[in-house]
Amino acid sequence: MAGHTRRRVLQGTALAAAGSVVGGFGPGRLAPAARAEGSGGAQSSPFLEGAFAPVTEELTEFGLPVTGRVPRDLDGRYLRTGPNALGLEDPRAHHWMLGDGMVHGVRLRGGRAEWYRNRWVRSSQVAEKLGEPYPGEVPPDDFACNTHVIPYKGRILALQESGPLPYELDGDLGTMRPYDFRSTLEGAFTAHTKYDATADELHAVAYYPTWDHVRHIMIDGSGRVARTHRIPLAGAPMMHDFALTGKYVVLVDVPVTFDAAAAEAGAPVPYAWNERHPMRLGVVPRSGGAVRWFDIDPVFYSHTLNAYDEGDTVVVEYTSMPAPFYVAGRGNGGPSTTGTPTLDRWVVDLRAGRVRTTRLDDLPQEFPRVNEALVSRRHRYGYAASAAEMWRAYETVDGVPPDHRFSNCLVKHDMLRGTRQVHRFPRGAAASEPVFAPRRGARDEDDGYVLAYVHDPDRGASDLVILSAQDFTGRPLARVRLPGRVPLGFHGSWVADA
């Protein structure tokens, strides 16, 4: 497989885990909506229309209008990324999650919304499409990272998995350079890092289709890779996310595996549901050592809310979709599922050697987040998003959307009481991932704000909605009117000023 480029072999590797979504068209123009081949003939792709449709230009606007009041202690940038194809060579072969990464950001300071910017991540291919020079040497597996954007020790990093290095961005969202953690990262990285604030450690689990293992990578307080633990793993499964506790790393070995024949045939996403590949949880000490594997019933494990130790058990809370999950889709231009994602919990009993699975909430929801200060520690509150257009797109096969209607909302979970609060939005107001930002001087876990981009169907543009986390169902504290639309995408972060 050495002769394959990322576009041939890896272009869809983990990008297809959204919930883990040019010829003749220059900058500012985009190919028409995709037409996919299915059993019912050609049809439009829901992932290139409506709330998913790529935007066609980079915008900058200062002094954004606000309804309500931006809290004065929100001093920083709210960033979120996602796939945004910069022209399409062949829309019929396009997969939503292969789109070039675009980061959207709002600068908040002193009670004002100072600016909005959206910028493509300048990989070598994006730079070429835009007619710009690429500074320096092109890294291996170069890709316009489109899955996550995080703060790390004063830097802003756009992340991808299974090959590409992160790209470092400046405070105005310009692409600076590939970032390799001070020349210490070798091989693949991940889109879903876990930062343990207490230990000042950044953890990652990386995979690659030609490896016979996965790598647990720990980056210490110096910002360098301090340890790489290679964990044998057959079958080349996709490992979009993982879980971290105070003692352990939890691997999720899903039945979605690399398909070499599909890659050789030029499939844009050479990963497929594999009934012969058992689903397992692997628990390995953070400091290294042997992994313990536990067989579990198959689901598509999408994203971790959080995980923690509790006596002789390990608790993992997560979103998942029913099996089977079609990473490459079924003729709809993106991933396809047989049901909507739910919030669930695994309790791994290390002493008894078994796993108990519990359904926490069957409301369709994805992109779960907690107060980042509690990653790997026990939490009480969690947040998630539900976007009607996303669930319809995921279940649309051969151009026929599901009959049932979904709603748009943000969700707050109280794990102690086993309750949820729902902040609802109107029809057509697709809600993106919610991110928690603590209030200055906060003492309670939920003393702060929840930020999310929400589509405004009346304007055909998006708002940055700011909720009080402790008055979650109340009127938004502020709605920042953006000059354009933020397409439904993936993950983001609150990047506070130092």
Side-chain angles (χ1 to χ4, degrees), residues 277-315:
H277 189 91
M279 183 157 185
R280 306 181 297 171
L281 294 182
V283 180
V284 59
R286 277 172 56 154
S287 58
V291 60
R292 288 185 64 186
W293 291 106
F294 300 83
D295 291 334
I296 56 175
D297 292 334
V299 294
F300 180 73
Y301 169 76
S302 186
H303 294 108
T304 304
L305 171 66
N306 197 21
Y308 55 90
D309 303 303
E310 190 171 63
D312 291 325
T313 66
V314 172
V315 180

Side-chain angles (χ1 to χ4, degrees), residues 80-376:
R80 208 221 67 199
T81 191
N84 194 92
L86 178 55
L88 296 173
E89 296 173 355
D90 182 1
R92 294 169 301 176
H94 180 66
H95 191 284
W96 169 48
M97 297 169 187
L98 303 182
D100 306 296
M102 174 177 273
V103 178
H104 302 258
V106 175
R107 174 69 161 105
L108 303 177
R109 178 161 47 189
R112 294 176 293 116
E114 290 190 345
W115 53 251
Y116 164 80
R117 286 181 168 89
N118 64 324
R119 296 291 186 271
W120 274 288
V121 177
R122 260 54 170 189
S123 66
S124 59
Q125 292 178 337
V126 167
E128 181 180 5
K129 293 177 188 178
L130 293 172
E132 300 174 357
Y134 182 84
E137 183 178 351
V138 178
D141 292 324
D142 187 34
F143 191 78
C145 301
N146 73 12
T147 312
H148 207 350
V149 56
I150 65 168
Y152 182 65
K153 295 193 175 296
R155 304 177 189 272
I156 298 171
L157 303 180
L159 303 180
Q160 197 71 29
E161 66 195 74
S162 188
L165 290 174
Y167 265 100
E168 182 178 356
L169 310 179
D170 63 27
D172 291 334
L173 309 188
T175 302
M176 298 173 65
R177 62 185 70 84
Y179 188 67
D180 58 4
F181 297 94
R182 305 175 75 172
S183 302
T184 60
L185 177 64
E186 295 181 359
F189 201 55
T190 186
H192 285 292
T193 56
K194 311 294 180 199
Y195 178 66
D196 183 333
T198 302
D200 191 16
E201 294 176 355
L202 185 69
H203 291 255
V205 171
Y207 70 98
Y208 200 78
T210 58
W211 290 352
D212 61 358
H213 63 278
V214 295
R215 297 177 185 178
H216 168 221
I217 300 165
M218 191 276 280
I219 300 161
D220 66 15
S222 72
R224 296 179 172 87
V225 175
R227 184 172 61 253
T228 299
H229 180 202
R230 299 190 179 196
I231 302 166
L233 186 60
M238 185 176 71
M239 199 166 286
H240 179 65
D241 203 354
F242 71 104
L244 183 74
T245 75
K247 298 178 182 178
Y248 300 103
V249 173
V250 182
L251 310 176
V252 187
D253 183 6
V254 298
V256 175
T257 59
F258 180 66
D259 186 336
E264 290 287 349
V269 182
Y271 276 78
W273 188 266
N274 184 352
E275 297 284 358
R276 298 182 301 277
H277 189 91
M279 183 157 185
R280 306 181 297 171
L281 294 182
V283 180
V284 59
R286 277 172 56 154
S287 58
V291 60
R292 288 185 64 186
W293 291 106
F294 300 83
D295 291 334
I296 56 175
D297 292 334
V299 294
F300 180 73
Y301 169 76
S302 186
H303 294 108
T304 304
L305 171 66
N306 197 21
Y308 55 90
D309 303 303
E310 190 171 63
D312 291 325
T313 66
V314 172
V315 180
V316 181
E317 294 175 350
Y318 62 97
T319 53
S320 70
M321 300 185 198
F325 181 82
Y326 302 97
V327 175
R330 291 184 291 172
N332 64 343
S336 182
T337 180
T338 54
T340 49
T342 54
L343 183 67
D344 301 306
R345 176 188 289 144
W346 286 311
V347 177
V348 185
D349 189 328
L350 299 175
R351 177 172 294 180
R354 61 174 178 261
V355 179
R356 183 174 74 253
T357 303
T358 304
R359 173 64 43 82
L360 299 178
D361 191 5
D362 59 5
L363 175 76
Q365 60 194 283
E366 249 287 24
F367 307 117
R369 300 293 292 267
V370 294
N371 182 332
E372 294 293 304
L374 293 175
V375 168
S376 79

Side-chain angles (χ1 to χ4, degrees), residues 74-81 103-109 115-118 148-149 156 171 173 367 369 385 410 431-437 449-454 463-466 480 482 486 490-497:
L74 279 176
D75 188 0
R77 295 162 175 80
Y78 175 66
L79 307 180
R80 208 221 67 199
T81 191
V103 178
H104 302 258
V106 175
R107 174 69 161 105
L108 303 177
R109 178 161 47 189
W115 53 251
Y116 164 80
R117 286 181 168 89
N118 64 324
H148 207 350
V149 56
I156 298 171
L173 309 188
F367 307 117
R369 300 293 292 267
L410 298 177
S432 295
E433 177 188 63
V435 171
F436 178 83
Y449 315 102
V450 175
L451 298 88
Y453 291 130
V454 179
D463 296 336
L464 171 58
V465 174
I466 304 174
V480 180
L482 308 186
V486 179
F490 300 145
H491 307 284
S493 299
W494 170 247
V495 182
D497 280 3

